[in-house]
């Protein structure tokens, strides 16, 4: 459910026609619906409300825009961060250090220091080496870093290879069968306070089965650790719940996810941490674009060339991902088209041979479900500048990220004197 709906034949974001945003801000532009963001945060909270001690840390990498983070913070969510830059954003958005989880396989010493100084609630340690390093940094400051050890459960998430993170060959977490040994070694270090385990097997999961398998394996580790005398008070179950990108896809609901978690974690007697990203922001955003021209050639499907490109929305080029495409003012006709951006790469293709609303030069269209892993993956490839972002609230909107123009980017570059 989201708040991008047709009213009187025009696509609206909440109570605002998208054509108004295109006119006032230009295209391409990401448009987020505040009501949808709030709704998804609340649905997720409600789905976990039956658990005795659940904490939700929004995975900032899905959508790190400060206005989006502010909505999450107002809903009482913490943050899962994977870099010093994301940590800084969570703090700017007003999230408490204690509500922040620091994940990531390559935390650098300066990021560890940044996390310690912010008093973050949990470092998710991804290797024995990292734990030893963090312990030394914390101890040298007279601190103890609160930690969970990220486990690689060797479970196939059944998702795209590039966003699968829980197979033994993936770079994330410590090997399942070495968890006990590593945990007890790290628990002895003065600079660490080992509180529990963490797992995250991948993103855009369409089935709860791999999650259930992974959580069940985590429960076995939990019992093993306790039997060995370790203290375990936190279990972090990561994110990964997928969202439908096509109208005909069926995904598990947050309620079904919550029920499964309740079943598997019964008797654990720990705090449970969740790190949803996509499930909260995915369909709370669209990428609004204008058709530059329609290129017709011979007997093939025409190319609808739009002003958004793979630098603005990388998912189709990166993962072969599907985004539904709809006209802002459909004229009732359909066409079969290839929808492409202006970038000089064949990979800059959003849809091939797709049945879409008929589009002509100057028409507006949206790529739906662009609120997660959209703007945050943007680049300036082909010197196109960075796409703008807007948030709608009822019938008003605000630009929540300025468009960064190509000239602003080249202004930050220098030709050295010895070349001039
Ligand atoms: C990316 C990531 C998430 C969020 O994944 P979603 O699929 O967006 O829910 C959560 N935890 C970690 C460690 C991640 O890397």
């Amino acid at each position: 459910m989201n708040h991008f709906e047709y009213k009187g034949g025009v696509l609206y974001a909440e109570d605002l026609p998208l054509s108004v945003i295109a006119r006032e801000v230009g295209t391409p532009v990401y448009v987020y619906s505040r009501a949808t963001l709030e709704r998804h945060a609340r649905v997720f909270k409600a789905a976990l409300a039956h658990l005795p001690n659940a904490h939700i840390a929004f995975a900032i990498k899905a959508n790190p825009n400060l206005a989006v983070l502010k909505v999450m913070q107002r809903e009482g969510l913490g943050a899962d961060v994977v870099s010093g830059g994301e940590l800084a954003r969570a703090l700017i958005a007003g999230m408490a250090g204690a509500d922040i989880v620091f994940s990531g396989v390559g935390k650098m010493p300066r990021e560890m220091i940044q996390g310690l100084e912010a008093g973050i609630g949990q470092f998710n340690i991804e290797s024995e080496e990292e734990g030893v390093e963090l312990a030394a940094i914390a101890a040298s400051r007279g601190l103890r870093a609160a930690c969970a050890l990220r486990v690689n459960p060797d479970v196939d998430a059944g998702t795209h290879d590039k966003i699968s993170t829980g197979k033994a060959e993936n770079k994330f977490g410590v090997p399942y069968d070495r968890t006990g040994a590593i945990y007890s070694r790290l628990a002895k270090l003065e600079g660490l306070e080992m509180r529990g385990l963490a797992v995250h097997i991948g993103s855009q999961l369409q089935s709860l089965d791999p999650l259930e398998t992974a959580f069940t394996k985590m429960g076995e580790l939990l019992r093993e650790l306790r039997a060995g005398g370790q203290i375990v008070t936190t279990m972090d179950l990561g994110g990964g719940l997928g969202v439908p990108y096509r109208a005909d896809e069926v995904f598990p609901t947050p309620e079904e996810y919550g029920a499964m978690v309740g079943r598997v974690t019964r008797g654990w007697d720990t705090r449970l941490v969740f790190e949803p990203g996509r499930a909260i922001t995915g369909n709370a955003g669209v990428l609004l674009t204008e058709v530059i021209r329609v290129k017709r050639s011979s007997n093939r499907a025409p190319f609808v060339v739009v002003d958004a490109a793979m630098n603005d929305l990388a998912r189709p080029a990166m993962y072969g991902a599907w985004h539904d495409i709809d006209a802002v003012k459909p004229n009732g006709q359909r066409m079969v088209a290839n929808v492409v951006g202006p970038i000089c790469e064949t990979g800059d293709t959003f849809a091939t041979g797709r049945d879409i609303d008929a589009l002509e030069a100057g028409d507006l269209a949206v790529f739906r479900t662009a609120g997660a892993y959209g703007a945050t993956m943007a680049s300036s490839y082909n010197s196109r500048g960075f796409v703008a972002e807007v948030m709608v609230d009822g019938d008003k909107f605000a630009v929540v990220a300025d468009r960064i123009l190509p000239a602003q980017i080249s202004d930050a570059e220098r030709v050295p004197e010895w070349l001039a």
Side-chain angles (χ1 to χ4, degrees):
M1 171 25 215
N2 64 67
H3 292 273
F4 295 95
E5 289 173 332
Y6 288 100
K7 297 180 193 177
V10 177
L11 189 58
Y12 276 62
E14 302 192 14
D15 300 321
L16 189 72
L18 286 170
S19 45
V20 172
I21 294 170
R23 189 175 69 227
E24 299 197 11
V25 184
T27 54
V29 57
Y30 279 91
V31 182
Y32 308 129
S33 153
R34 172 187 163 161
T36 311
L37 290 165
E38 271 174 7
R39 189 190 129 81
H40 291 340
R42 286 173 191 176
V43 165
F44 210 89
K45 280 192 287 185
L48 303 177
H50 65 286
L51 300 168
N53 190 359
H55 172 67
I56 305 177
F58 171 63
I60 286 192
K61 76 175 194 285
N63 191 326
N65 182 278
L66 289 176
V68 172
L69 297 188
K70 195 67 198 172
V71 175
M72 299 305 145
Q73 185 263 347
R74 288 169 65 129
E75 288 300 313
L77 273 57
D80 173 56
V81 304
V82 294
S83 71
E86 287 192 351
L87 172 55
R89 282 175 176 271
L91 295 172
I92 293 169
M95 287 160 171
D99 293 335
I100 298 173
V101 176
F102 201 147
S103 301
V105 74
K107 294 180 209 73
M108 290 174 267
R110 64 178 154 77
E111 293 176 314
M112 295 176 178
I113 292 166
Q114 194 185 339
L116 288 167
E117 286 176 349
I120 66 162
Q122 181 178 317
F123 285 91
N124 283 354
I125 296 178
E126 300 245 6
S127 64
E128 184 170 357
E129 296 85 344
E130 184 196 346
V132 170
E133 212 175 310
L134 175 60
I137 289 172
S140 73
R141 290 175 153 65
L143 298 170
R144 292 184 83 197
C147 294
L149 182 61
R150 179 162 175 186
V151 178
N152 185 320
D154 195 18
V155 170
D156 187 348
T159 186
H160 192 282
D161 275 350
K162 287 186 185 164
I163 48 175
S164 177
T165 56
K167 289 282 290 164
E169 65 264 31
N170 298 143
K171 67 181 174 181
F172 300 97
V174 300
Y176 184 83
D177 52 12
R178 294 213 49 229
T179 304
I182 295 174
Y183 195 94
S184 51
R185 166 152 192 236
L186 295 179
K188 291 194 191 90
L189 301 178
E190 192 193 314
L192 301 187
E193 184 190 330
M194 294 307 292
R195 292 190 179 167
L197 302 174
V199 69
H200 172 74
I201 61 170
S203 198
Q204 184 55 7
L205 271 64
Q206 194 166 3
S207 163
L208 294 178
D209 295 347
L211 288 169
E212 180 157 0
T213 305
F215 298 166
T216 304
K217 291 182 83 168
M218 296 301 284
E220 285 158 18
L221 280 182
L222 167 66
R223 277 182 288 277
E224 252 177 61
L225 288 180
R226 282 182 172 157
Q230 299 297 337
I231 295 166
V232 183
T233 56
T234 286
M235 294 291 276
D236 181 337
L237 301 181
L241 195 60
V243 299
Y245 282 87
R246 317 169 61 136
D248 59 349
E249 284 177 328
V250 180
F251 273 76
T253 62
E255 291 73 24
E256 290 164 335
Y257 173 80
M260 180 274 284
V261 169
R263 199 166 63 241
V264 178
T265 63
R266 190 164 303 134
W268 281 15
D269 190 25
T270 63
R271 181 174 193 249
L272 294 176
V273 179
F274 299 88
E275 304 170 347
R278 190 189 312 266
I280 298 205
T281 62
N283 75 4
V286 298
L287 174 58
L288 178 60
T289 189
E290 184 178 314
V291 178
I292 300 171
R293 68 180 61 85
V294 179
K295 179 181 166 185
R296 296 179 206 277
S297 53
S298 63
N299 52 357
R300 292 176 176 279
F303 290 99
V304 172
V305 188
V306 298
D307 66 0
M310 63 188 279
N311 73 303
D312 306 306
L313 176 61
R315 298 188 66 259
M318 208 154 146
Y319 313 122
W322 175 291
H323 286 268
D324 275 344
I325 300 170
D326 290 312
V328 170
K329 285 184 194 168
N331 64 9
Q333 311 282 307
R334 306 286 297 175
M335 74 192 295
V336 173
N338 304 306
V339 181
V340 300
I343 281 185
C344 295
E345 298 253 356
T346 299
D348 187 22
T349 296
F350 293 109
T352 304
R354 176 112 47 111
D355 179 15
I356 56 169
D357 292 324
L359 292 169
E360 280 304 331
D363 287 348
L364 295 171
V366 295
F367 296 98
R368 290 198 185 248
T369 319
Y373 307 104
T376 184
M377 283 189 179
S379 77
S380 64
Y381 187 40
N382 275 211
S383 294
R384 284 171 43 87
F386 283 93
V387 61
E389 295 165 82
V390 158
M391 185 178 289
V392 173
D393 181 17
D395 61 1
K396 65 178 189 286
F397 77 90
V399 176
V400 294
D402 289 342
R403 191 178 304 286
I404 298 181
L405 301 171
Q408 292 172 277
I409 297 169
S410 55
D411 276 353
E413 297 173 16
R414 303 278 174 273
V415 177
E417 246 171 53
W418 41 264
L419 262 185

